[in-house]
């Protein structure tokens, strides 16, 4: 349960930290000389207060404690029972949400609950206070007047408003506090959405923005966009207009909501939730409020007449059908069936909208210029619809770029990070041929087809080929090109998220083939990156790893395994093994497994330190490789697991051996069975962590492994760890000669668990057999409990059981099914 904050409470922050081996909650930001700050200062965040325990406030608090930042969550006093009841209920709700806002469920216990009547004195201890109450200007202003006397002299006060004026909100703050007030707009859900908009007011001290940007970037792992104080800022202004334009053309072309979602999702490089499902997820009432803000604040806008909720949207809100949070909105789930609102029938029907094959083929075209030309020329209503929504979006962004964003890069990244698009509006336009598309837009404006008659700005057609160049992005308000931020925090990112036309230094190649690339960045650390699809591990990748270790031992201080893009590795390349399996060459298969094991052992016992830099999936062999490196540095959003049972196998790259060894080490001479049982449950259930922090709980990561929150900083931290190990006079560990085995006693206890699972109908008979083999390996075989074995014993046991399972018809069927469908078979 969460602790209630009491006036005068003082937490010993280092000892109350919820986890080790990640960025400390107390984050020191050094601000050096750069364009925004000509002095040197520091910003120490020990504790943060979040005002408002609603959907956003509670989830912001959750992400803060994910990052080991001591957090107190405020709301109104409950009318009955515990005065902190409102907050406690919100904290409890965090443990039930999906996707999970908490990296591990126990993090909920580190959010302190408080209320405005009893605990305002707690604010004096907070270095950062984030307001996240309902989007009512008068309510926010009243709250500011109430809390202002209690804020610390150096505290930063920020509003999470999604679109209200920061300058208007600042007026409610005492004059002495306005320099430390700004907007800090998180996107929902805060843990997963990369974007945070940082919005200054007229009186905000630029140093405050620099300090917050560094804190948000490294400690919370966010992509920060500096926004202007205009209604709905950048992402919501453009994103909501795009949705309004889509709604307008949905009606104009007579399309169903489900069909439009099929057209405006992954088919055009946007999020799976597309348009109308996104509205349901955001909340139809929330969306209506954002639209109203645009209507009330932008009366002179050329698109003003479209800034209103459609009648059907207002009708759903009136009925209380607000989307996902009320289990009904534009879509609803009835039993197992997804239904969609049919406006003509005024009722729900089964959802099943699909792209016309002709349009689907157009969208598969790789050349953007050809694709857009054919979309515009096509007569099919779906193609015409798509051209219309792109045209009006491009038009809108061009007209408003100077008003709402500092440059085109900020606008594009805001939409990508805040709405999950693969490319921003300007990137899409530029890739399709800037002047060609501009000509089409002008023609449609003249023909009256565009939503607005506003002319394109002169800068659009001044002979340029786009707004993104290697030197920077176009700024419409100054008619200049702006480069990237020079804040020191961005020196930690070797490869920032690029926009079209940006290319980062890819380092210097040491050696390269079709499977792997070994390279460096001009220092003493070698970096190995796989080149296979999903970074799977086949025989060629094994050769590459072994060669990289040999090279590193001769000429480099350390070796880092890092992939240029996610995932870290989806495991062994089953497709390459299938022909050998079908030929019945089990001798060759055993040799491959032995080579895999040898490679893992070489990572562990290399004469130079090895560090795995993990982000995204690290499954099967990918998980085993990072388990054998001296250190793993994992991005928070790392999903790690030993999943071999899903294809009728068991971990045989040393994963079982490492779990058995760790169980003994953690027991410290005591009972090793709890560690063996936990390992068995993880392997037998093919458990994949939902975060890097949960991977530590399961045991895939060690307590000494590090978790970083910004994946763009992963390589920087991994190299720093490798360098530190090398400079400490690294020597590999000595092979463990005496591993205490759980033996027959442990095996019997695990078998009882399997019997209960089988008899309860939770696993199949073949799952039972696989589980028995996993138990056998983890326990060291059918030997006396307490017997000593070495690593080789366990490795050979892994390999023997793995190869024997490969001979089984049901395992072969599982492998075939996975390769053909991408889904596990339970036979």
């Amino acid at each position: 349960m969460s602790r209630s904050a009491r006036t005068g409470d003082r937490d010993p922050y280092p000892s109350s930290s919820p986890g080790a081996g990640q960025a400390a909650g107390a984050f020191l930001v050094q601000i050096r000389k750069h364009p925004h700050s000509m002095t040197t200062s520091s910003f120490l965040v020990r504790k943060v207060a979040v005002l408002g325990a609603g959907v956003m406030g509670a989830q912001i608090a959750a992400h803060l404690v994910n990052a080991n930042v001591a957090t107190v969550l405020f709301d109104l006093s409950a009318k009955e029972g515990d005065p902190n009841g409102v907050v406690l209920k919100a904290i409890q709700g965090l443990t039930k949400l999906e996707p999970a806002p908490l990296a591990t469920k126990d993090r909920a216990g580190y959010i302190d609950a408080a209320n405005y009547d009893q605990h305002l004195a707690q604010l004096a201890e907070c270095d950062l206070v984030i307001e996240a109450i309902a989007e009512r200007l008068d309510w926010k202003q009243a709250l500011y007047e109430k809390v202002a006397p209690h804020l610390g002299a150096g505290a930063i006060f920020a509003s999470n408003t999604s679109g209200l004026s920061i300058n208007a909100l600042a007026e409610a703050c005492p004059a002495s506090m306005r320099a430390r007030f700004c907007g800090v707009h998180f996107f929902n859900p805060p843990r997963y959405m990369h974007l945070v908009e940082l919005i200054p007011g007229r009186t905000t001290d630029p140093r405050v923005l620099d300090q917050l940007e560094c804190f948000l970037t490294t400690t919370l792992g966010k992509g920060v966009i500096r926004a202007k104080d205009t209604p709905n800022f950048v992402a919501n202004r453009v994103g909501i207009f795009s949705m309004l334009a889509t709604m307008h053309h949905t009606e104009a072309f007579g399309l169903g909501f489900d069909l439009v979602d099929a057209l405006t999702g992954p088919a055009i490089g946007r999020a799976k939730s597309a348009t109308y499902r996104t509205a349901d997820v955001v909340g139809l009432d929330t969306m209506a409020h954002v639209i109203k803000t645009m209507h009330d604040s932008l009366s002179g806008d050329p698109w003003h007449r479209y800034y209103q909720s459609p009648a059907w949207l207002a009708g759903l809100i009136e009925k209380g059908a607000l989307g996902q949070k009320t289990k009904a909105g534009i879509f609803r789930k009835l039993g197992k069936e997804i239904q969609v609102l049919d406006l003509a029938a005024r009722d729900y029907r089964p959802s099943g909208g699909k792209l016309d094959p002709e349009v689907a083929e157009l969208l598969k075209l790789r050349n953007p210029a050809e694709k857009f030309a054919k979309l515009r020329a096509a007569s099919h209503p779906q193609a015409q619809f798509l051209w219309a929504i792109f045209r009006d979006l491009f038009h809108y962004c061009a007209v408003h770029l100077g008003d709402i964003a500092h440059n085109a890069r900020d606008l594009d990244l805001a939409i990508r990070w805040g709405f999950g698009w693969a490319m921003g509006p300007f990137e899409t336009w530029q890739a399709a041929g800037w002047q060609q598309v501009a000509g089409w837009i002008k023609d449609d404006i003249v023909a009256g087809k565009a939503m607005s008659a506003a002319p394109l700005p002169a800068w659009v057609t001044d002979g340029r080929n786009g707004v993104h160049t290697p030197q920077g992005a176009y700024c419409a308000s100054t008619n200049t090109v702006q480069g990237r931020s020079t804040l020191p925090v961005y020196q930690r990112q070797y490869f920032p998220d690029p926009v079209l036309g940006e290319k980062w230094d890819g380092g210097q190649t040491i050696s390269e083939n079709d499977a792997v690339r070994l390279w460096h960045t001009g220092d003493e650390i070698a970096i190995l990156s796989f080149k296979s699809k999903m970074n799977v591990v086949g025989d060629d990748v094994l050769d590459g790893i072994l060669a990289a270790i040999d090279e590193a031992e001769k000429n480099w201080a350390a070796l880092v395994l890092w992939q240029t893009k996610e995932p870290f590795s989806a495991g062994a390349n089953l497709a390459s093994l299938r022909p050998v399996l079908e030929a019945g060459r089990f001798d060759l298969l055993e040799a491959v497994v032995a080579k895999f094991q040898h490679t893992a052992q070489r990572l562990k016992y290399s004469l130079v330190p090895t560090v795995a830099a993990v982000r995204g999936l690290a499954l099967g062999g990918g998980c085993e490789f990072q388990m054998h490196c001296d250190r793993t540095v994992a991005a928070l959003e790392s999903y790690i697991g030993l999943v071999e049972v899903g294809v009728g196998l068991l971990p045989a790259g040393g994963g079982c051996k490492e779990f058995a060894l760790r169980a003994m080490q953690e027991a410290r001479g005591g009972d090793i069975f709890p560690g063996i049982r936990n390992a068995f449950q993880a392997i037998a259930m093919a458990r994949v962590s939902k975060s890097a922090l949960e991977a530590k709980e399961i045991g895939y990561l060690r307590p000494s492994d590090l978790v970083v929150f910004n994946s763009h900083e992963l390589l920087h931290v991994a190299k720093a760890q490798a360098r530190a190990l090398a400079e400490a006079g690294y020597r590999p560990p000595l092979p463990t000669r005496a591993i205490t085995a759980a033996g027959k006693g442990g095996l019997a206890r695990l078998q009882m668990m399997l019997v209960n699972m089988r008899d309860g109908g939770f696993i199949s008979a073949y799952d039972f057999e696989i589980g028995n083999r996993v138990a056998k390996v983890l326990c060291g075989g059918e030997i006396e409990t307490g017997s000593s074995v070495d690593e080789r014993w366990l490795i050979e046991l892994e390999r023997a059981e793995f190869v024997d399972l490969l001979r089984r018809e049901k395992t072969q069927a599982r492998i075939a099914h996975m390769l053909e469908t991408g889904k596990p078979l339970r036979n």
Side-chain angles (χ1 to χ4, degrees):
M1 293 295 294
S2 300
R3 303 185 303 268
S4 292
R6 288 178 283 274
T7 303
D9 281 356
R10 297 293 189 273
D11 284 336
Y13 298 111
S15 62
S16 67
S17 172
Q22 72 180 88
F27 180 74
L28 184 63
V29 180
Q30 292 295 335
I31 306 299
R32 302 187 185 97
K33 290 185 178 181
H34 51 77
H36 298 296
S37 175
M38 299 308 294
T39 62
T40 299
S41 62
S42 63
F43 180 46
L44 188 66
V45 177
R46 286 196 181 277
K47 193 171 189 178
V48 175
V50 179
L51 310 181
V55 172
M56 284 300 294
Q59 291 196 62
I60 291 170
H63 196 56
L64 285 163
V65 295
N66 285 342
N68 280 2
V69 179
T71 302
V72 55
L73 180 59
F74 280 81
D75 211 303
L76 299 169
S77 298
K79 296 179 180 179
E80 298 178 354
D82 189 329
N84 291 329
V86 173
V87 176
L88 292 172
K89 182 178 179 181
I91 294 172
Q92 183 61 32
L94 291 172
T95 64
K96 302 173 183 177
L97 284 179
E98 288 293 339
L102 297 162
T104 58
K105 286 192 176 182
D106 69 342
R107 297 266 153 169
Y110 293 93
I111 303 174
D112 289 342
N115 64 76
Y116 301 125
D117 294 327
Q118 297 175 303
H119 305 128
L120 288 179
Q122 280 283 324
L123 294 175
E125 303 174 2
C126 298
D127 306 294
L128 172 62
V129 177
I130 300 172
E131 170 269 307
I133 68 169
E135 291 287 85
R136 282 273 299 270
L137 184 63
D138 54 339
W139 289 1
K140 290 178 186 287
Q141 291 172 330
L143 179 62
Y144 294 4
E145 293 173 3
K146 187 172 187 175
V147 303
H150 301 277
L151 298 180
I156 293 175
F157 188 39
S159 174
N160 183 57
T161 178
S162 60
L164 297 179
S165 169
I166 297 302
N167 286 307
L169 290 171
E171 293 300 318
C173 300
S176 61
M177 199 176 79
R178 290 173 190 170
R180 292 175 283 114
F181 179 76
C182 64
V184 54
H185 179 215
F186 290 82
F187 276 66
N188 189 22
R191 170 183 162 186
Y192 301 95
M193 298 307 294
H194 191 54
L195 178 64
V196 170
E197 292 174 321
L198 195 55
I199 313 101
R202 284 185 295 269
T203 56
T204 306
D205 186 338
R207 291 172 298 180
V208 166
L209 301 177
D210 293 344
Q211 292 166 351
L212 262 183
E213 184 163 353
C214 294
F215 172 76
L216 292 165
T217 299
T218 289
T219 304
L220 299 188
K222 295 304 171 188
V224 176
I225 295 297
R226 301 250 183 137
K228 298 182 179 182
D229 187 22
T230 56
N232 295 336
F233 312 130
V234 183
N236 273 345
R237 176 73 176 274
V238 175
I240 294 299
F241 171 78
S242 177
M243 295 177 75
L244 287 170
T246 301
M247 291 177 181
H248 168 75
H249 290 299
T250 298
E251 181 178 357
F253 284 92
L255 305 179
F257 296 140
D258 52 340
L259 174 56
V260 170
D261 270 9
L263 287 165
T264 60
I268 58 171
R270 298 184 184 178
K272 289 182 180 179
S273 53
T275 301
Y276 292 106
R277 179 61 184 149
T278 293
D280 271 352
V281 171
V282 169
L284 301 185
D285 54 338
T286 301
M287 184 171 174
H289 176 82
V290 175
I291 295 170
K292 186 176 187 301
T293 298
M294 295 173 74
H295 181 273
D296 295 346
S297 308
L298 298 167
S299 58
D301 190 291
W303 285 267
H304 181 261
R305 66 190 181 99
Y306 298 102
Y307 297 161
Q308 53 187 332
S309 298
W312 59 262
L313 179 60
L316 286 172
I317 294 171
E318 186 177 349
K319 294 177 182 177
L322 307 180
Q324 182 173 277
K325 58 189 172 185
T326 60
K327 303 186 185 306
I330 300 169
F331 293 89
R332 72 178 183 183
K333 190 173 183 179
L334 194 63
K336 293 185 178 181
E337 184 179 69
I338 303 297
Q339 297 185 332
V340 63
L341 181 65
D342 187 317
L343 293 181
R346 297 186 180 182
D347 199 358
Y348 289 90
R349 59 168 173 77
S351 176
K354 293 182 179 180
L355 277 71
D356 183 88
E358 174 189 337
V359 176
E361 288 303 310
L362 288 181
L363 294 178
K364 291 178 183 178
L365 292 172
R366 292 183 176 273
N367 184 322
E370 181 185 6
K371 181 190 301 183
F372 272 86
K374 290 189 174 181
L375 279 175
R376 185 172 187 267
S379 60
H380 196 288
Q382 292 182 16
Q384 292 178 350
F385 166 82
L386 287 172
W387 162 247
I389 65 170
F390 276 113
R391 175 201 62 216
D392 290 319
L393 175 62
F394 297 160
H395 186 192
Y396 186 87
C397 289
V399 169
H400 286 301
L401 174 60
D403 302 329
I404 64 177
H406 292 292
N407 55 62
R409 178 182 52 250
D410 286 355
L411 188 149
D412 277 345
L413 289 178
I415 287 295
R416 280 165 48 180
W417 293 346
F419 281 78
W421 294 12
M423 295 179 73
F426 286 125
E427 290 179 292
T428 306
W429 179 353
Q430 185 168 327
W434 185 267
Q435 290 301 332
Q436 174 178 263
V437 172
W440 292 339
I441 296 172
K442 288 180 67 176
D443 290 346
D444 281 8
I445 293 172
V446 171
K449 295 179 180 179
M451 289 172 66
S452 168
L456 283 173
W459 63 261
V460 172
T461 54
D462 63 1
R464 71 180 59 250
N465 292 318
V467 289
H468 297 300
T469 71
Q471 293 73 39
Y474 181 70
C475 171
S477 59
T478 62
N479 195 34
T480 60
V481 170
Q482 294 185 350
R484 291 262 180 169
S485 169
T486 58
L487 277 176
V489 69
Y490 294 113
Q491 295 172 14
R492 297 165 57 86
Q493 299 184 14
Y494 283 91
F495 302 97
D497 199 354
V499 294
L500 186 71
E502 283 184 320
K503 290 185 178 179
W504 311 122
D505 182 1
Q508 301 170 48
T509 299
I510 302 169
S511 63
E512 185 173 11
N513 57 32
D514 291 341
V516 300
R517 177 183 180 230
L518 186 64
W519 55 287
H520 67 93
T521 60
D523 54 22
E524 72 282 14
I525 310 297
I527 304 164
L528 183 68
S529 301
F530 303 170
K531 295 169 65 176
S532 51
K533 184 178 180 181
M534 295 290 286
N535 297 318
V536 294
V537 180
D539 192 61
D540 52 354
V541 172
L542 294 177
D543 286 337
I545 297 171
L546 292 170
I549 296 170
D550 289 341
E551 167 66 19
E553 288 180 331
K554 293 175 184 175
N555 299 310
W556 303 88
L559 177 65
V560 171
L561 271 61
W562 179 84
Q563 314 298 7
T564 57
K565 60 181 179 180
E566 296 182 18
F568 177 72
S569 175
N573 186 350
L574 290 175
S576 68
L577 297 179
R578 190 175 185 181
V580 185
L581 182 61
E582 291 174 345
R585 293 300 304 276
F586 296 101
D587 55 333
L588 294 180
L589 290 169
E590 183 167 5
V592 170
V593 178
K595 186 175 181 179
F596 206 111
Q597 294 174 326
H598 172 64
T599 304
Q601 290 295 89
R602 284 286 284 134
L603 285 168
K604 183 171 184 176
Y605 293 111
S606 166
L607 292 175
V608 296
T610 58
V611 175
V614 174
R615 54 181 171 164
L617 295 174
L619 303 179
C623 175
E624 289 173 302
F625 279 163
Q626 67 82 26
M627 290 177 79
H628 283 80
C629 288
D630 294 296
R631 186 68 49 82
T632 293
V633 178
L636 176 69
E637 301 309 330
S638 295
Y639 312 110
I640 305 173
L642 295 173
V643 296
E644 287 83 351
V645 297
V647 288
L649 296 168
L650 54 75
C656 294
K657 176 264 297 180
E658 281 298 301
F659 259 134
L661 179 58
R662 293 178 187 186
M664 183 193 74
Q665 292 169 338
E666 291 168 7
R668 297 177 182 176
D671 185 5
I672 66 169
F673 184 74
I676 295 293
R677 179 189 60 216
N678 292 342
F680 174 74
Q681 290 172 333
I683 295 171
M685 301 305 293
R687 187 178 176 191
V688 176
S689 71
K690 294 183 178 179
S691 71
L693 294 179
E694 188 177 67
K696 282 194 170 193
E697 286 188 347
I698 297 169
Y700 296 134
L701 297 181
R702 295 155 293 202
S704 59
D705 291 330
L706 299 184
V707 177
V708 299
F709 276 56
N710 195 318
S711 64
H712 295 294
E713 297 181 354
L714 185 65
L715 182 58
H716 169 83
V717 178
K719 288 183 61 179
Q721 288 295 303
R723 186 175 296 110
L725 289 168
E727 291 184 354
Y730 174 83
R731 290 293 301 174
L734 294 172
T736 306
R737 296 180 177 178
I739 302 173
T740 303
K744 294 178 181 177
L747 182 56
R749 294 167 74 177
L750 294 180
Q751 286 172 333
M752 284 302 300
M753 294 171 58
L754 283 169
V755 168
N756 291 335
M757 294 170 70
R758 182 195 61 195
D759 293 350
F762 298 106
I763 61 174
S764 69
Y766 196 56
D767 289 327
F768 179 85
E769 181 177 344
I770 299 167
N772 256 320
R773 292 170 183 266
V774 172
K776 180 181 177 182
V777 175
L778 286 171
C779 294
E782 296 180 358
I783 59 177
E784 294 302 319
T785 298
S787 298
S788 290
V789 299
D790 60 13
E791 291 188 53
R792 180 179 295 277
W793 173 276
L794 292 173
I795 287 171
E796 291 178 350
L797 193 56
E798 276 187 352
R799 185 165 69 247
E801 294 297 336
F802 184 94
V803 174
D804 194 51
L805 282 169
L806 278 174
R807 297 175 183 273
R808 302 305 175 99
E809 183 179 329
K810 289 187 177 181
T811 288
Q812 294 175 19
R814 288 191 177 193
I815 293 172
H817 190 268
M818 176 62 74
L819 289 173
E820 291 163 8
T821 70
K823 298 178 181 179
L825 172 67
R826 293 298 181 195
N827 52 2

